[in-house]
Every structure is written in structure tokens, then in C-alpha cells.
Amino acid sequence: MEKKTFVTKEQLEKMIAQYPTPFHLYDEKGIRENAKRLQEAFAWNKGYREYFAVKATPNPYILQLLKECGCGTDCSSATELMLSDGVGLSGHEIMFSSNDTPEGEFKQANDLGAIINLDDITHIACVEKELGYIPETISCRYNPGGIFEISNGIMDNPGDAKYGMTTEQMFEAFRILKEKGAKEFGIHAFLVSNTVTNDYYPMLAKVLFEVAVRLKEETGVHIGFINLSGGIGVAYHPDQEPNDIMRIGEGVRKVYEEILVPAGMGDVAIYTELGRFMLAPYGCLVSKVIHEKHTHKEYVGVDACAVNLMRPAMYGAYHHITVMGKENMPCDHKYDVVGSLCENNDKFAVDRLLPEIAIGDLLVIHDTGAHGFSMGYNYNGKLRSAELLLREDGTVQLIRRAETPQDYFATLDGCEMMKKYMTTHG
């Protein structure tokens, strides 16, 4: 499958005249269409809601766009709660799914009316201590342990994950929470990351639905929702077949009708908590070639680096690269595409076959709309890039400006040396 860009070279050249590279660019049209498809895939479930994983792309303009598409947010920190509050989300439009939760954050979530999703049985006492009571609606995160397998093999090892409660703990937690006043219960699980298969969600749903029936029968609680969390991935490689969200939704519906409906649980709402699936294909990192090096290998040096996109350096992750204007030229040159960090893993591609590249060429690094900008950092004193939104009408909006040296030094409040320097050179 050919991977195409959602932006043209001509559009990028106009952007660059105002906003220097590197920058992350997002596609409003693609985001809206994808959110609509997701809603259609789960329209069979009356209470369905997508809680976008804020950690994937924590930008209020993106959150507002998704809010307009009917999405809520899933938050894992105080600042993500603030972002959700800032775009006008409140109450059960927000899910708070943290782990090793710092003191005070349960109260912050509760003050917004968010649904609190407990990662551990010991957090029951933490919530009660912070709030003075247990909320009437509450959720627990489940980890069945062991190996998670589907028809085409092993997917992951939940037993090694730090998240969630054991089966025994789930039953104990539900009994304790019920005794302490909880009335509406939810179940949540995240067992596998970035699956490119239509089988994962239906298999996960089967596991959760069966546990839900047992929990209802053995504890007498009312389960109001089951959150399938994230895990639906995207086709980073051009030869991968993308997930079919309509097939996935239909697969979950079948399991729902086989397990929950006969148990008298046909009113259970289905929630999802997708980040990568919602945004990754609808964002890209735009960078310019600034150097070339001919030593033991052929290197192409760009003005972006791992601080702009750390997934290749951190995981060895593949991100497709398009050389703008050379899409139809043969990929007959082998390059390492590198950034300028003092780290040898600062490479966007290793031994990648691409068209012949020249200094000044624009590269589009695909699928960076989730876990791209959000994982940025300031190693080597590098500054985070801007974020731009390509609107449906073709206009471009700056939704986060690039950092400046003033931003980098801003937290050195008491440092007279840097104050003096910035006054002189700022």
C-alpha cells in the first residue's frame, strides 16, 4: 500500500515562509472523518463514547476539535485534567485513569466530576482519604495476567505490565466499593499496544464481558460501562493493512450479544480510549535537509531530531518518509536519516531506500500525530517545535508556537547569570 501525504509540497512551501521547519502538522479533515467512522462503528451501542487519550496529543485545539466530534478525554495527570477543563469538558465527559497517582489528583479529578478509574485496590483507601467518601460512579482497571493471545499468535504479556488489578482483587475491590456507597461500576483494561489486527478488540471484549457477568452475579453490583481502552494501532509500514474499524465494531457487537445480553446486561455502555488510532495518521513531522555526510554510510542530516520525534530512537519504531516533490522517483539510494543530537540513536531511518536527496529537500515523516510532539524533551538544549493545524478549508492555524531560549531558561528563576545574559542577548 502506498502511503500518501495529506499535504502538498506547494502547501508546505507556503507554510514554511511563515513557520520555519521543523514542525508538526495535523489534518483537521482526516481527524473529523476518522472520528465519524469510529462513532458509526459503535453506533449499535446506545451509551458508546470515545475518551481520547490526552497523552497522545495534549493540545487544546485538538481536544476541542475532538470534543466537537462527540469525544471525551482520558486523563492520566493533573495537567491533562486542566487541559480537559480548559476546553469545557466536565463530569462524565472525562475519565481519570492514572497509576501511582500523586496526592491530590483524585480530588482534582473528582472536583471536575470525572469518572475515577482505579489502577490498584490500595487506591480505594487513597480516594476515601482525599475525598472523605467514595464516588457513586467508579471504575476499576483489570489485568488478567499471563499471556494475551489471539488466533494469529501471542500479542503481549499483561503479567509483566504494572497496570491494573488481578481477578481476585477486582472482586474484592467491587465488594469494598459497594459497601462504601458506590452504585455504578465500570471495568477497564489495556492489555496490548498498537495492534494492527481486527481481532484484538473482540477478544478483549470477550474477556471483559465474561468477567463483568461474574462480577455482577457474585457481588450484586450494577455495571454501567466497560472501557476497552486503547490498543487499536495504525499501519506505520506501507505494506501493512490498516485496521477496519467497522469490522472491529461489529466484532465487539457480536460478543456483546453473545455474553452480556443473555445475562441481562444489555444496558452496558461501551467506552473506548483511543489515542494513536484517532490521531497518528493525521499528523506528520515536516523537516528540511540541511546536511549530507559521506563516510562509512550515506547520511542525510535534517533540522529535526529525536526531541521532535523520539519513537525511532526509543523503540526503533518505523516511520515512513516522503521526499516531497520526488514521490514518483525511484527509491534507489540508501540513507540513514539523522538529527543533530549527541546520541547515535538519533536516527529517523536506518538503511532506508529513498529517492536521491539534496540539501534543501523537504521531508514528511508520517504518522506522528500521536506520541510525536507529546513525547518531546529538551536534551542538548534543543527546543520543542511548533504545531500547526491544516484546516478543512486549506488554511493553516498555529496551535502551538515553537519554544524559544527564553522558554528554556524561564524556570531558572533565581539565576542572575542567565537573567543578565538574556537581558543582554534576548
mmCIF file of all heavy atoms in Angstrom, residues 381-424:
data_model
loop_
_atom_site.group_PDB
_atom_site.id
_atom_site.type_symbol
_atom_site.label_atom_id
_atom_site.label_comp_id
_atom_site.label_asym_id
_atom_site.label_seq_id
_atom_site.Cartn_x
_atom_site.Cartn_y
_atom_site.Cartn_z
ATOM 1 N N GLY A 381 19.744 20.948 25.022
ATOM 2 C CA GLY A 381 19.229 22.307 24.899
ATOM 3 C C GLY A 381 18.376 22.522 23.663
ATOM 4 O O GLY A 381 18.147 23.656 23.242
ATOM 5 N N LYS A 382 17.886 21.434 23.079
ATOM 6 C CA LYS A 382 17.017 21.557 21.910
ATOM 7 C C LYS A 382 15.643 22.081 22.323
ATOM 8 O O LYS A 382 15.156 21.803 23.428
ATOM 9 C CB LYS A 382 16.867 20.210 21.214
ATOM 10 C CG LYS A 382 18.160 19.665 20.633
ATOM 11 C CD LYS A 382 18.676 20.515 19.491
ATOM 12 C CE LYS A 382 19.901 19.885 18.862
ATOM 13 N NZ LYS A 382 20.411 20.697 17.723
ATOM 14 N N LEU A 383 15.026 22.813 21.457
ATOM 15 C CA LEU A 383 13.746 23.457 21.746
ATOM 16 C C LEU A 383 12.626 22.750 20.989
ATOM 17 O O LEU A 383 12.800 22.343 19.840
ATOM 18 C CB LEU A 383 13.805 24.934 21.356
ATOM 19 C CG LEU A 383 14.935 25.724 22.015
ATOM 20 C CD1 LEU A 383 14.992 27.140 21.452
ATOM 21 C CD2 LEU A 383 14.772 25.767 23.535
ATOM 22 N N ARG A 384 11.481 22.627 21.641
ATOM 23 C CA ARG A 384 10.345 21.951 21.008
ATOM 24 C C ARG A 384 9.813 22.776 19.837
ATOM 25 O O ARG A 384 9.812 24.002 19.867
ATOM 26 C CB ARG A 384 9.231 21.709 22.040
ATOM 27 C CG ARG A 384 9.593 20.687 23.110
ATOM 28 C CD ARG A 384 8.464 20.554 24.114
ATOM 29 N NE ARG A 384 8.740 19.554 25.129
ATOM 30 C CZ ARG A 384 9.397 19.778 26.255
ATOM 31 N NH1 ARG A 384 9.862 20.998 26.508
ATOM 32 N NH2 ARG A 384 9.590 18.825 27.126
ATOM 33 N N SER A 385 9.329 22.062 18.842
ATOM 34 C CA SER A 385 8.878 22.715 17.613
ATOM 35 C C SER A 385 7.456 23.227 17.732
ATOM 36 O O SER A 385 6.750 22.957 18.706
ATOM 37 C CB SER A 385 8.956 21.711 16.455
ATOM 38 O OG SER A 385 8.095 20.611 16.714
ATOM 39 N N ALA A 386 7.030 23.937 16.712
ATOM 40 C CA ALA A 386 5.652 24.416 16.628
ATOM 41 C C ALA A 386 4.727 23.272 16.236
ATOM 42 O O ALA A 386 5.155 22.238 15.720
ATOM 43 C CB ALA A 386 5.544 25.546 15.601
ATOM 44 N N GLU A 387 3.424 23.486 16.475
ATOM 45 C CA GLU A 387 2.379 22.597 15.990
ATOM 46 C C GLU A 387 1.421 23.424 15.147
ATOM 47 O O GLU A 387 0.980 24.506 15.572
ATOM 48 C CB GLU A 387 1.613 21.949 17.142
ATOM 49 C CG GLU A 387 2.424 20.949 17.954
ATOM 50 C CD GLU A 387 1.607 20.338 19.072
ATOM 51 O OE1 GLU A 387 1.315 21.045 20.058
ATOM 52 O OE2 GLU A 387 1.253 19.143 18.965
ATOM 53 N N LEU A 388 1.104 22.917 13.955
ATOM 54 C CA LEU A 388 0.202 23.604 13.032
ATOM 55 C C LEU A 388 -0.987 22.700 12.727
ATOM 56 O O LEU A 388 -0.863 21.472 12.726
ATOM 57 C CB LEU A 388 0.910 23.953 11.723
ATOM 58 C CG LEU A 388 2.248 24.693 11.791
ATOM 59 C CD1 LEU A 388 2.772 24.939 10.390
ATOM 60 C CD2 LEU A 388 2.109 26.006 12.535
ATOM 61 N N LEU A 389 -2.127 23.327 12.440
ATOM 62 C CA LEU A 389 -3.332 22.590 12.074
ATOM 63 C C LEU A 389 -3.758 23.008 10.673
ATOM 64 O O LEU A 389 -4.011 24.191 10.421
ATOM 65 C CB LEU A 389 -4.460 22.875 13.072
ATOM 66 C CG LEU A 389 -5.796 22.169 12.824
ATOM 67 C CD1 LEU A 389 -5.639 20.656 12.903
ATOM 68 C CD2 LEU A 389 -6.843 22.642 13.824
ATOM 69 N N LEU A 390 -3.791 22.035 9.755
ATOM 70 C CA LEU A 390 -4.284 22.281 8.402
ATOM 71 C C LEU A 390 -5.801 22.165 8.445
ATOM 72 O O LEU A 390 -6.353 21.075 8.632
ATOM 73 C CB LEU A 390 -3.693 21.263 7.428
ATOM 74 C CG LEU A 390 -4.151 21.360 5.967
ATOM 75 C CD1 LEU A 390 -3.769 22.697 5.359
ATOM 76 C CD2 LEU A 390 -3.573 20.198 5.153
ATOM 77 N N ARG A 391 -6.472 23.276 8.326
ATOM 78 C CA ARG A 391 -7.922 23.310 8.423
ATOM 79 C C ARG A 391 -8.567 22.713 7.170
ATOM 80 O O ARG A 391 -7.943 22.594 6.117
ATOM 81 C CB ARG A 391 -8.399 24.758 8.617
ATOM 82 C CG ARG A 391 -8.054 25.335 9.982
ATOM 83 C CD ARG A 391 -8.858 24.678 11.071
ATOM 84 N NE ARG A 391 -8.735 25.332 12.365
ATOM 85 C CZ ARG A 391 -9.324 24.895 13.467
ATOM 86 N NH1 ARG A 391 -10.067 23.799 13.437
ATOM 87 N NH2 ARG A 391 -9.165 25.527 14.612
ATOM 88 N N GLU A 392 -9.836 22.357 7.308
ATOM 89 C CA GLU A 392 -10.563 21.746 6.191
ATOM 90 C C GLU A 392 -10.632 22.665 4.984
ATOM 91 O O GLU A 392 -10.690 22.197 3.841
ATOM 92 C CB GLU A 392 -11.970 21.363 6.645
ATOM 93 C CG GLU A 392 -12.022 20.175 7.575
ATOM 94 C CD GLU A 392 -13.446 19.740 7.887
ATOM 95 O OE1 GLU A 392 -14.125 20.450 8.642
ATOM 96 O OE2 GLU A 392 -13.860 18.685 7.369
ATOM 97 N N ASP A 393 -10.621 23.982 5.216
ATOM 98 C CA ASP A 393 -10.715 24.924 4.089
ATOM 99 C C ASP A 393 -9.353 25.239 3.473
ATOM 100 O O ASP A 393 -9.241 26.092 2.589
ATOM 101 C CB ASP A 393 -11.402 26.219 4.539
ATOM 102 C CG ASP A 393 -10.630 26.960 5.629
ATOM 103 O OD1 ASP A 393 -9.508 26.514 5.991
ATOM 104 O OD2 ASP A 393 -11.143 27.984 6.135
ATOM 105 N N GLY A 394 -8.296 24.559 3.928
ATOM 106 C CA GLY A 394 -6.969 24.754 3.364
ATOM 107 C C GLY A 394 -6.121 25.786 4.075
ATOM 108 O O GLY A 394 -4.922 25.916 3.779
ATOM 109 N N THR A 395 -6.695 26.528 5.005
ATOM 110 C CA THR A 395 -5.911 27.491 5.774
ATOM 111 C C THR A 395 -5.107 26.758 6.846
ATOM 112 O O THR A 395 -5.381 25.615 7.178
ATOM 113 C CB THR A 395 -6.805 28.556 6.439
ATOM 114 O OG1 THR A 395 -7.727 27.898 7.340
ATOM 115 C CG2 THR A 395 -7.592 29.326 5.384
ATOM 116 N N VAL A 396 -4.116 27.447 7.377
ATOM 117 C CA VAL A 396 -3.235 26.862 8.388
ATOM 118 C C VAL A 396 -3.296 27.696 9.653
ATOM 119 O O VAL A 396 -3.237 28.931 9.600
ATOM 120 C CB VAL A 396 -1.781 26.793 7.877
ATOM 121 C CG1 VAL A 396 -0.856 26.242 8.966
ATOM 122 C CG2 VAL A 396 -1.698 25.927 6.635
ATOM 123 N N GLN A 397 -3.427 27.027 10.786
ATOM 124 C CA GLN A 397 -3.502 27.709 12.074
ATOM 125 C C GLN A 397 -2.349 27.250 12.951
ATOM 126 O O GLN A 397 -2.085 26.049 13.092
ATOM 127 C CB GLN A 397 -4.832 27.399 12.762
ATOM 128 C CG GLN A 397 -5.002 28.109 14.107
ATOM 129 C CD GLN A 397 -6.346 27.797 14.756
ATOM 130 O OE1 GLN A 397 -7.117 26.981 14.244
ATOM 131 N NE2 GLN A 397 -6.623 28.435 15.872
ATOM 132 N N LEU A 398 -1.652 28.207 13.548
ATOM 133 C CA LEU A 398 -0.623 27.899 14.526
ATOM 134 C C LEU A 398 -1.322 27.542 15.835
ATOM 135 O O LEU A 398 -2.000 28.373 16.426
ATOM 136 C CB LEU A 398 0.287 29.112 14.730
ATOM 137 C CG LEU A 398 1.415 28.957 15.758
ATOM 138 C CD1 LEU A 398 2.460 27.962 15.271
ATOM 139 C CD2 LEU A 398 2.062 30.318 16.041
ATOM 140 N N ILE A 399 -1.168 26.310 16.285
ATOM 141 C CA ILE A 399 -1.847 25.895 17.516
ATOM 142 C C ILE A 399 -0.870 25.718 18.681
ATOM 143 O O ILE A 399 -1.287 25.456 19.798
ATOM 144 C CB ILE A 399 -2.691 24.616 17.312
ATOM 145 C CG1 ILE A 399 -1.826 23.439 16.856
ATOM 146 C CG2 ILE A 399 -3.813 24.879 16.309
ATOM 147 C CD1 ILE A 399 -2.598 22.116 16.786
ATOM 148 N N ARG A 400 0.411 25.829 18.405
ATOM 149 C CA ARG A 400 1.416 25.938 19.460
ATOM 150 C C ARG A 400 2.666 26.528 18.806
ATOM 151 O O ARG A 400 3.174 25.973 17.838
ATOM 152 C CB ARG A 400 1.750 24.586 20.090
ATOM 153 C CG ARG A 400 2.603 24.728 21.377
ATOM 154 C CD ARG A 400 3.183 23.390 21.835
ATOM 155 N NE ARG A 400 2.174 22.378 22.068
ATOM 156 C CZ ARG A 400 1.610 22.110 23.256
ATOM 157 N NH1 ARG A 400 1.952 22.798 24.318
ATOM 158 N NH2 ARG A 400 0.715 21.138 23.368
ATOM 159 N N ARG A 401 3.157 27.628 19.349
ATOM 160 C CA ARG A 401 4.357 28.217 18.775
ATOM 161 C C ARG A 401 5.584 27.404 19.164
ATOM 162 O O ARG A 401 5.563 26.631 20.126
ATOM 163 C CB ARG A 401 4.532 29.664 19.253
ATOM 164 C CG ARG A 401 4.794 29.807 20.740
ATOM 165 C CD ARG A 401 5.292 31.207 21.084
ATOM 166 N NE ARG A 401 5.416 31.421 22.517
ATOM 167 C CZ ARG A 401 6.420 31.001 23.269
ATOM 168 N NH1 ARG A 401 7.399 30.294 22.728
ATOM 169 N NH2 ARG A 401 6.457 31.265 24.563
ATOM 170 N N ALA A 402 6.647 27.583 18.422
ATOM 171 C CA ALA A 402 7.903 26.919 18.764
ATOM 172 C C ALA A 402 8.480 27.534 20.036
ATOM 173 O O ALA A 402 8.283 28.720 20.324
ATOM 174 C CB ALA A 402 8.897 27.066 17.617
ATOM 175 N N GLU A 403 9.170 26.714 20.806
ATOM 176 C CA GLU A 403 9.830 27.224 22.009
ATOM 177 C C GLU A 403 10.972 28.162 21.636
ATOM 178 O O GLU A 403 11.557 28.070 20.553
ATOM 179 C CB GLU A 403 10.387 26.067 22.845
ATOM 180 C CG GLU A 403 9.339 25.310 23.621
ATOM 181 C CD GLU A 403 9.942 24.243 24.518
ATOM 182 O OE1 GLU A 403 11.082 23.793 24.252
ATOM 183 O OE2 GLU A 403 9.266 23.841 25.485
ATOM 184 N N THR A 404 11.293 29.031 22.566
ATOM 185 C CA THR A 404 12.404 29.970 22.410
ATOM 186 C C THR A 404 13.413 29.741 23.535
ATOM 187 O O THR A 404 13.099 29.081 24.538
ATOM 188 C CB THR A 404 11.894 31.417 22.496
ATOM 189 O OG1 THR A 404 11.412 31.650 23.842
ATOM 190 C CG2 THR A 404 10.769 31.674 21.498
ATOM 191 N N PRO A 405 14.629 30.290 23.416
ATOM 192 C CA PRO A 405 15.568 30.196 24.539
ATOM 193 C C PRO A 405 14.998 30.785 25.834
ATOM 194 O O PRO A 405 15.291 30.297 26.924
ATOM 195 C CB PRO A 405 16.776 30.994 24.047
ATOM 196 C CG PRO A 405 16.733 30.844 22.556
ATOM 197 C CD PRO A 405 15.265 30.878 22.220
ATOM 198 N N GLN A 406 14.159 31.817 25.707
ATOM 199 C CA GLN A 406 13.532 32.387 26.901
ATOM 200 C C GLN A 406 12.675 31.351 27.625
ATOM 201 O O GLN A 406 12.653 31.300 28.854
ATOM 202 C CB GLN A 406 12.674 33.611 26.527
ATOM 203 C CG GLN A 406 13.483 34.857 26.157
ATOM 204 C CD GLN A 406 13.875 34.879 24.689
ATOM 205 O OE1 GLN A 406 13.774 33.873 23.978
ATOM 206 N NE2 GLN A 406 14.316 36.041 24.222
ATOM 207 N N ASP A 407 11.969 30.506 26.847
ATOM 208 C CA ASP A 407 11.180 29.435 27.449
ATOM 209 C C ASP A 407 12.093 28.443 28.169
ATOM 210 O O ASP A 407 11.805 27.992 29.280
ATOM 211 C CB ASP A 407 10.381 28.680 26.376
ATOM 212 C CG ASP A 407 9.366 29.557 25.679
ATOM 213 O OD1 ASP A 407 8.706 30.367 26.364
ATOM 214 O OD2 ASP A 407 9.224 29.431 24.459
ATOM 215 N N TYR A 408 13.191 28.104 27.539
ATOM 216 C CA TYR A 408 14.115 27.116 28.102
ATOM 217 C C TYR A 408 14.687 27.587 29.438
ATOM 218 O O TYR A 408 14.863 26.789 30.371
ATOM 219 C CB TYR A 408 15.233 26.870 27.091
ATOM 220 C CG TYR A 408 16.223 25.804 27.493
ATOM 221 C CD1 TYR A 408 15.932 24.454 27.362
ATOM 222 C CD2 TYR A 408 17.479 26.156 27.991
ATOM 223 C CE1 TYR A 408 16.839 23.475 27.720
ATOM 224 C CE2 TYR A 408 18.394 25.189 28.354
ATOM 225 C CZ TYR A 408 18.082 23.849 28.207
ATOM 226 O OH TYR A 408 18.985 22.884 28.575
ATOM 227 N N PHE A 409 14.983 28.892 29.529
ATOM 228 C CA PHE A 409 15.600 29.425 30.742
ATOM 229 C C PHE A 409 14.594 29.941 31.766
ATOM 230 O O PHE A 409 14.968 30.364 32.855
ATOM 231 C CB PHE A 409 16.555 30.574 30.379
ATOM 232 C CG PHE A 409 17.724 30.155 29.532
ATOM 233 C CD1 PHE A 409 17.984 30.782 28.322
ATOM 234 C CD2 PHE A 409 18.556 29.124 29.938
ATOM 235 C CE1 PHE A 409 19.061 30.392 27.540
ATOM 236 C CE2 PHE A 409 19.636 28.728 29.154
ATOM 237 C CZ PHE A 409 19.891 29.361 27.951
ATOM 238 N N ALA A 410 13.285 29.887 31.418
ATOM 239 C CA ALA A 410 12.262 30.531 32.263
ATOM 240 C C ALA A 410 12.187 29.946 33.663
ATOM 241 O O ALA A 410 11.829 30.651 34.612
ATOM 242 C CB ALA A 410 10.894 30.440 31.591
ATOM 243 N N THR A 411 12.521 28.659 33.820
ATOM 244 C CA THR A 411 12.395 28.047 35.143
ATOM 245 C C THR A 411 13.616 28.289 36.027
ATOM 246 O O THR A 411 13.633 27.879 37.191
ATOM 247 C CB THR A 411 12.167 26.524 35.006
ATOM 248 O OG1 THR A 411 13.176 25.971 34.169
ATOM 249 C CG2 THR A 411 10.794 26.245 34.408
ATOM 250 N N LEU A 412 14.625 28.943 35.490
ATOM 251 C CA LEU A 412 15.799 29.292 36.300
ATOM 252 C C LEU A 412 15.545 30.622 37.002
ATOM 253 O O LEU A 412 16.256 31.612 36.806
ATOM 254 C CB LEU A 412 17.049 29.379 35.417
ATOM 255 C CG LEU A 412 17.462 28.075 34.728
ATOM 256 C CD1 LEU A 412 18.544 28.331 33.692
ATOM 257 C CD2 LEU A 412 17.941 27.055 35.754
ATOM 258 N N ASP A 413 14.497 30.640 37.825
ATOM 259 C CA ASP A 413 14.007 31.893 38.393
ATOM 260 C C ASP A 413 15.081 32.699 39.124
ATOM 261 O O ASP A 413 15.145 33.917 39.001
ATOM 262 C CB ASP A 413 12.853 31.611 39.376
ATOM 263 C CG ASP A 413 11.641 31.033 38.672
ATOM 264 O OD1 ASP A 413 11.486 31.320 37.480
ATOM 265 O OD2 ASP A 413 10.869 30.308 39.317
ATOM 266 N N GLY A 414 15.923 32.013 39.891
ATOM 267 C CA GLY A 414 16.870 32.747 40.732
ATOM 268 C C GLY A 414 18.255 32.878 40.142
ATOM 269 O O GLY A 414 19.195 33.292 40.846
ATOM 270 N N CYS A 415 18.410 32.538 38.882
ATOM 271 C CA CYS A 415 19.741 32.538 38.284
ATOM 272 C C CYS A 415 20.055 33.917 37.690
ATOM 273 O O CYS A 415 19.620 34.242 36.577
ATOM 274 C CB CYS A 415 19.847 31.469 37.211
ATOM 275 S SG CYS A 415 21.493 31.328 36.512
ATOM 276 N N GLU A 416 20.805 34.720 38.419
ATOM 277 C CA GLU A 416 21.127 36.075 37.961
ATOM 278 C C GLU A 416 21.998 36.046 36.713
ATOM 279 O O GLU A 416 21.917 36.946 35.871
ATOM 280 C CB GLU A 416 21.832 36.853 39.083
ATOM 281 C CG GLU A 416 20.953 37.113 40.304
ATOM 282 C CD GLU A 416 19.703 37.910 39.942
ATOM 283 O OE1 GLU A 416 19.789 38.805 39.077
ATOM 284 O OE2 GLU A 416 18.637 37.609 40.520
ATOM 285 N N MET A 417 22.851 34.995 36.582
ATOM 286 C CA MET A 417 23.712 34.915 35.396
ATOM 287 C C MET A 417 22.882 34.863 34.117
ATOM 288 O O MET A 417 23.147 35.588 33.158
ATOM 289 C CB MET A 417 24.605 33.675 35.483
ATOM 290 C CG MET A 417 25.649 33.724 36.577
ATOM 291 S SD MET A 417 26.657 32.207 36.604
ATOM 292 C CE MET A 417 25.450 31.026 37.236
ATOM 293 N N MET A 418 21.839 33.984 34.119
ATOM 294 C CA MET A 418 21.044 33.844 32.904
ATOM 295 C C MET A 418 20.107 35.027 32.704
ATOM 296 O O MET A 418 19.809 35.417 31.563
ATOM 297 C CB MET A 418 20.249 32.538 32.932
ATOM 298 C CG MET A 418 21.124 31.288 32.802
ATOM 299 S SD MET A 418 22.377 31.385 31.498
ATOM 300 C CE MET A 418 21.370 31.685 30.053
ATOM 301 N N LYS A 419 19.655 35.639 33.800
ATOM 302 C CA LYS A 419 18.840 36.854 33.666
ATOM 303 C C LYS A 419 19.643 37.945 32.964
ATOM 304 O O LYS A 419 19.157 38.622 32.055
ATOM 305 C CB LYS A 419 18.384 37.339 35.045
ATOM 306 C CG LYS A 419 17.240 36.571 35.665
ATOM 307 C CD LYS A 419 16.839 37.210 36.990
ATOM 308 C CE LYS A 419 15.704 36.448 37.656
ATOM 309 N NZ LYS A 419 15.353 37.040 38.973
ATOM 310 N N LYS A 420 20.896 38.101 33.411
ATOM 311 C CA LYS A 420 21.765 39.116 32.822
ATOM 312 C C LYS A 420 22.030 38.799 31.349
ATOM 313 O O LYS A 420 21.997 39.672 30.478
ATOM 314 C CB LYS A 420 23.053 39.185 33.607
ATOM 315 C CG LYS A 420 24.019 40.273 33.123
ATOM 316 C CD LYS A 420 25.276 40.319 34.000
ATOM 317 C CE LYS A 420 26.243 41.396 33.489
ATOM 318 N NZ LYS A 420 27.458 41.440 34.328
ATOM 319 N N TYR A 421 22.298 37.514 31.073
ATOM 320 C CA TYR A 421 22.576 37.119 29.692
ATOM 321 C C TYR A 421 21.384 37.389 28.792
ATOM 322 O O TYR A 421 21.538 37.946 27.692
ATOM 323 C CB TYR A 421 22.959 35.645 29.638
ATOM 324 C CG TYR A 421 23.222 35.160 28.237
ATOM 325 C CD1 TYR A 421 24.468 35.329 27.644
ATOM 326 C CD2 TYR A 421 22.208 34.571 27.473
ATOM 327 C CE1 TYR A 421 24.708 34.918 26.348
ATOM 328 C CE2 TYR A 421 22.439 34.171 26.168
ATOM 329 C CZ TYR A 421 23.682 34.341 25.619
ATOM 330 O OH TYR A 421 23.920 33.953 24.330
ATOM 331 N N MET A 422 20.184 36.985 29.223
ATOM 332 C CA MET A 422 19.011 37.151 28.380
ATOM 333 C C MET A 422 18.636 38.623 28.220
ATOM 334 O O MET A 422 18.126 39.023 27.175
ATOM 335 C CB MET A 422 17.827 36.356 28.939
ATOM 336 C CG MET A 422 18.019 34.838 28.898
ATOM 337 S SD MET A 422 18.489 34.196 27.268
ATOM 338 C CE MET A 422 17.023 34.607 26.319
ATOM 339 N N THR A 423 18.914 39.417 29.228
ATOM 340 C CA THR A 423 18.665 40.856 29.104
ATOM 341 C C THR A 423 19.557 41.466 28.038
ATOM 342 O O THR A 423 19.145 42.325 27.255
ATOM 343 C CB THR A 423 18.904 41.564 30.460
ATOM 344 O OG1 THR A 423 18.023 41.006 31.437
ATOM 345 C CG2 THR A 423 18.665 43.059 30.342
ATOM 346 N N THR A 424 20.795 40.962 27.969
ATOM 347 C CA THR A 424 21.757 41.486 27.010
ATOM 348 C C THR A 424 21.567 40.925 25.612
ATOM 349 O O THR A 424 21.656 41.641 24.613
ATOM 350 C CB THR A 424 23.182 41.155 27.479
ATOM 351 O OG1 THR A 424 23.373 41.648 28.802
ATOM 352 C CG2 THR A 424 24.232 41.798 26.566
#
